[in-house]
Amino acid sequence: MDDDSMGLNKELDGMTVVSLEQAVAAPYCGLMLADAGARVIKVERPEGDFARGYDAGANGQSAIFAWLNRGKESICLNLKDPEDLAVMHRMLAKADVFVSNLAPGSVARMGLGGAELRRDNPGLITCMISGYGQSGAAAKKKAYDFLIQAESGLCSVTGSAESPARVGLSLTDLSTGLTAFSAILRALIQRGRTGRGIDLEISMFDVLADWMNMPLLAHRYMGGAPARSGLKHSFIAPYGAFECRDGAQVLISVQSNREFAALCRQVLQRPELPEDPRFSENPERYAHRDALDAIVADCFAQFTAAEMVDKLDAAQIANAQLNSVADLSDHPFLRNSVVQIGDCDVSLAALPVTSHAGPGQKVPNLGAQTEALRAEFKA
Amino acid sequence: MDDDSMGLNKELDGMTVVSLEQAVAAPYCGLMLADAGARVIKVERPEGDFARGYDAGANGQSAIFAWLNRGKESICLNLKDPEDLAVMHRMLAKADVFVSNLAPGSVARMGLGGAELRRDNPGLITCMISGYGQSGAAAKKKAYDFLIQAESGLCSVTGSAESPARVGLSLTDLSTGLTAFSAILRALIQRGRTGRGIDLEISMFDVLADWMNMPLLAHRYMGGAPARSGLKHSFIAPYGAFECRDGAQVLISVQSNREFAALCRQVLQRPELPEDPRFSENPERYAHRDALDAIVADCFAQFTAAEMVDKLDAAQIANAQLNSVADLSDHPFLRNSVVQIGDCDVSLAALPVTSHAGPGQKVPNLGAQTEALRAEFKA
């Protein structure tokens, strides 16, 4: 391995992040800051981040909490107690980044607003994460991941024709946490030029609204948002899941005449089909999709899913298996990472950006570093 | 506005990004680099990024393409032509970042691998985006957003009990583009310390696998991944959408006894319900959710959605409307941004991170800067 092929390696080494965080969005941001080499101090209420109680799968502790909080230090502070608030102030006086996803305004009410803190610490970057924004009517609206999926219209374009559905992962929280992480990196780069920190505000609604631009623009400029169609596509055929001999389903998505010809010749063994006027171009294929789907279904039903994937790969037809979560867990491409919470090892999907150091494997017990941090940041 | 409250403002000013990009993932990454102040040169094949043909909603040009490509320059190059490839080399010799989402290996086959390029330009950061990875069997597997949703197990936890569904936005592409953006920022920070660029590889499957950790950990440590349940929750009640008098649906998600008591007292006008042993704690409420849902449904049916949202907000019960995309388009919290493609203005949802400069409002026509860039990067 030459020097050029070295990857990321503690590029935020020496940076301190204080994160007054709970649940998912801010903790996920903090996790990536830790992965980048920053020291991340997680400030918890005396009773702890309620995400510690999301599940008890890791010998009584939460496996989900372990995923989101490995590599951090934990300090318990009661910020209504003036002495604890003073500890918080002393940590922030030396911090590079202050992240929070408490309710809008609550950080400022404790005297922890960015402008105030920068009087002593001009390089401090603050990042406040909220549901709908930090001011006005929006600031008062409570928010959870699922509710913002509904409010943003996402549920209306997800699911079957009959019933809208939520997305089965915490899309809003994770996209917001990653957006906040990127914004903090931008502010750190800017501080390298100006020497000054800034305030960042990230709203979950804004993040999801940007991600909704495809259906939004379809509504505004293309005659309407796409209809919900389960696993089917609203204007491409063949497209969707087909059942194989072993009951497993394989998906295809045929996006060009070249791919369709290869499918007919190499997979369906029906080289004449592209000449059939019903199937010559995608609009014709879509109009006659019932007939076409029947031909595809007949063929797929004769092979196991593994055989069919091999055939499709050989013909260079994009395909996927309709995997369960158990299938994901055993997937040959899955990169696992093992972390420790309490005395329990938790094997989870690794972060997608590879770094040499990684975020560390230890998940802090509640307040594990309280005494050490109190001593380090004493008056 | 004091100096402290200044935000992000062209923090990547002076940086040049060359992006050999198509479709969604890499263009979305490039969009954010442009928003951060970098000069982003989009390299297109002579026939153009096929995303220019995604729709014709903007006076014959694509509104979706406009969303993803505002603020960039466009140069057409045929990289099979040695002269055009030489132009590419000369641009990369002066670039800070090289992004690509061509098929794995194709960039290296053209002599555009990171280690090679860094001989002349040691600070160059490369970021290669793929479906499943850059090497081995994974590199050969073709990928589209929807197929990776299926392959990762996401479709198996999204939709109704009867039918799995894909997510109605390009989740895989957008999460990967944002991850790539964050990785490039990390590498730029590292280069500030080391003076050396590095190679980054981002796979869409890896990104989605990390985001699937919640159902994955449920499968591994909590007795099974959650069942698909449309808009319902698998262990919280009341939770879900209820129809109001005007036909609109309002969602609630009651996550504590305190919230349930407030719902009963202030919204349902049934202050005695929390004393009912069927509804005392969440497990009881979930066990008797049919009876509970009927009470909630009766109440919601008496008010319009707007009235019900006011009542719920007053009681501090988190809620949302089950909005359509049309509702999103008119949402009072939506921040719009107007961009120009050809002679057409396109109004779209703004980027969630506010920056003073913004990515620019102009979307380049195909090859708009070809001659100017050829002249700038002549031999």
Side-chain angles (χ1 to χ4, degrees), chain A residues 20 43 76-93 98 106-113 116-117 374 377:
Chain A
L20 187 55
V43 179
C76 284
L77 292 178
N78 173 5
L79 296 177
K80 287 175 183 154
D81 172 335
E83 276 188 37
D84 278 13
L85 185 60
V87 173
M88 184 75 175
H89 270 285
R90 290 194 295 272
M91 291 198 300
L92 288 170
F98 175 30
S106 59
V107 165
R109 277 193 298 276
M110 291 187 279
L112 300 173
E116 241 172 305
L117 295 170
R374 281 184 190 279
F377 292 97

Side-chain angles (χ1 to χ4, degrees), chain B residues 10 12-21 26-44 68-75 91 95-100 181 184 358-360 362-364 369 373 376-377:
Chain B
K10 286 186 166 285
L12 296 187
D13 194 26
M15 302 273 181
T16 298
V17 177
V18 175
S19 189
L20 187 54
E21 61 176 37
Y28 188 62
C29 173
L31 166 64
M32 288 178 287
L33 288 161
D35 184 55
R39 176 187 191 185
V40 178
I41 299 171
K42 180 182 179 83
V43 180
E44 302 189 64
L68 294 166
N69 291 285
R70 60 200 196 264
K72 302 178 187 175
E73 301 173 35
S74 164
I75 181 171
M91 291 197 302
D96 298 280
V97 179
F98 176 30
V99 179
S100 173
F181 176 56
I184 290 166
K362 282 285 284 183
V363 182
Q369 286 77 30
L373 286 163
E376 180 179 351
F377 293 97

Side-chain angles (χ1 to χ4, degrees), chain B residues 57-334:
Chain B
N59 276 1
Q61 295 204 59
S62 166
I64 290 169
F65 182 85
W67 162 44
L68 294 166
N69 291 285
R70 60 200 196 264
K72 302 178 187 175
E73 301 173 35
S74 164
I75 181 171
C76 284
L77 292 178
N78 174 4
L79 296 177
K80 287 175 183 157
D81 172 337
E83 277 187 37
D84 279 12
L85 185 59
V87 173
M88 185 73 176
H89 270 284
R90 291 195 295 272
M91 291 197 302
L92 288 170
K94 299 204 174 160
D96 298 280
V97 179
F98 176 30
V99 179
S100 173
N101 65 338
L102 297 201
S106 59
V107 164
R109 276 194 298 276
M110 292 188 281
L112 300 173
E116 242 173 305
L117 294 170
R118 272 193 296 277
R119 277 187 221 126
D120 291 333
N121 183 2
L124 183 69
I125 293 157
T126 76
C127 181
M128 299 294 124
I129 296 171
S130 67
Y132 293 95
Q134 296 286 335
S135 58
K140 296 202 189 79
K141 197 155 178 69
K142 290 185 74 177
Y144 296 115
D145 180 281
F146 160 53
L147 295 174
I148 294 185
Q149 291 189 26
E151 190 75 29
S152 69
L154 173 56
C155 295
S156 79
V157 290
T158 300
S160 59
E162 303 75 35
S163 40
R166 66 194 171 100
V167 178
L169 54 76
S170 297
L171 170 59
T172 316
D173 287 325
L174 296 171
S175 58
T176 301
L178 181 54
T179 298
F181 176 56
S182 74
I184 290 166
L185 295 171
R186 292 170 63 169
L188 283 168
I189 290 171
Q190 178 160 305
R191 190 182 72 170
R193 300 182 165 195
T194 65
R196 305 284 296 173
I198 57 171
D199 291 329
L200 300 164
E201 294 182 359
I202 312 289
S203 115
M204 296 163 85
F205 180 82
D206 286 351
V207 172
L208 217 45
D210 176 37
W211 288 33
M212 282 291 290
N213 262 316
M214 218 180 274
L216 178 67
L217 292 169
H219 162 74
R220 287 183 173 172
Y221 299 100
M222 302 164 220
R228 286 188 306 274
S229 55
L231 295 171
K232 289 284 169 191
H233 199 285
S234 45
F235 60 85
I236 289 178
Y239 185 112
F242 295 89
E243 190 166 325
C244 297
R245 204 180 64 207
D246 52 359
Q249 299 198 62
V250 170
L251 292 99
I252 54 172
S253 157
V254 173
Q255 310 215 348
S256 71
N257 287 345
R258 189 197 60 70
E259 287 187 337
F260 183 63
L263 177 76
C264 295
R265 196 173 55 245
Q266 295 180 245
V267 180
L268 303 179
Q269 309 284 336
R270 296 282 299 271
E272 79 289 0
L273 282 185
E275 312 296 320
D276 186 324
R278 295 176 301 166
F279 308 131
S280 57
E281 298 284 340
N282 182 64
E284 286 71 34
R285 292 194 285 272
Y286 187 72
H288 298 96
R289 63 189 178 281
D290 288 346
L292 182 56
D293 283 356
I295 294 171
V296 175
D298 276 352
C299 170
F300 277 46
Q302 298 169 36
F303 300 94
T304 67
E307 290 165 350
M308 186 47 67
V309 167
D310 282 348
K311 276 177 184 290
L312 291 163
D313 283 346
Q316 294 208 51
I317 308 289
N319 65 81
Q321 298 212 46
L322 185 59
N323 281 329
S324 66
V325 177
D327 295 327
L328 170 65
S329 186
D330 297 333
H331 201 290
F333 297 166
L334 183 67

Side-chain angles (χ1 to χ4, degrees), chain A residues 21 53 97 100 128 184 245 266 284 338:
Chain A
E21 60 177 36
V97 179
S100 172
M128 299 294 124
I184 289 166
R245 204 181 63 205
Q266 294 181 247
E284 286 71 35
V338 175

